[in-house]
Amino acid sequence: MGCPYEGLDVDYDRVARITSDLLDMGCYEVSLGDTIGTGNFSAFYKMAEALEQGGVDFDVLAAHFHDTYGQALPNILVALESGFRTVDTSVGGLGGCPYAKGASGNAATEDLLWALKGSEFEPAIDLDAVAETGAWICDKLGRSNASKCSTALAAKRPASA
């Protein structure tokens, strides 16, 4: 969807061909990423259409979206609704892409867990424990927590004495 080498003009038919080739070679899963975080759900649908036309089964695909423009969570939700069953996230939205200037962190696990509450995709994961872990690791790393959910949950916790 966005590439540090090809820019925003990614050839989705080529993505589908390479994905199909990798699966034919024996890969059990192919992770497709928005490396620089510039993609939106419209770009995802275009990529998904090329993959579908190329005969790629979505249940063997994973999605990895950076959140540079705040589109990682919407892209993940569209990917799940399209049939992807594996997505990458990180607590506190930590991460990034060192070779793509300006690319920010990944989708925050806490935000995805909140978005999936009550849906068919809701996992059996303790959101509060994940949020506390995200806050802890961000503090230890001296990084700000990019999770909106974690920030909201922290505001509701009683202040420690």
Side-chain angles (χ1 to χ4, degrees):
M1 293 170 28
C3 174
Y5 306 108
E6 294 185 25
L8 301 178
D9 192 25
V10 175
D11 180 350
Y12 297 127
D13 291 327
R14 183 170 177 233
V15 170
R17 284 191 308 275
I18 293 170
T19 300
S20 184
D21 289 347
L22 289 168
L23 294 167
D24 289 346
M25 286 187 264
C27 290
Y28 69 91
E29 178 181 84
V30 175
S31 182
L32 301 171
D34 182 18
T35 309
I36 56 176
T38 56
N40 59 26
F41 70 90
S42 177
F44 178 84
Y45 280 130
K46 290 174 186 172
M47 182 177 69
E49 182 180 359
L51 290 162
E52 188 173 39
Q53 289 177 355
V56 176
D57 293 324
F58 287 10
D59 62 344
V60 295
L61 299 177
H64 182 98
F65 301 115
H66 285 217
D67 205 31
T68 308
Y69 288 87
Q71 299 302 297
L73 185 59
N75 288 336
I76 288 173
L77 296 175
V78 169
L80 288 170
E81 286 184 342
S82 295
F84 283 55
R85 292 298 172 257
T86 302
V87 297
D88 298 331
T89 62
S90 63
V91 294
L94 292 171
C97 187
Y99 56 88
K101 189 175 183 177
S104 65
N106 298 298
T109 304
E110 304 91 319
D111 295 348
L112 179 60
L113 292 175
W114 182 266
L116 295 178
K117 286 174 79 73
S119 78
E120 65 183 290
F121 305 113
E122 182 176 5
I125 296 174
D126 184 341
L127 172 59
D128 289 321
V130 172
E132 288 176 21
T133 301
W136 174 82
I137 192 65
C138 287
D139 181 60
K140 293 294 179 193
L141 295 173
R143 302 260 318 255
S144 61
N145 192 328
S147 169
K148 303 280 192 229
C149 177
S150 188
T151 301
L153 291 174
K156 292 182 176 185
R157 284 190 206 105
S160 55

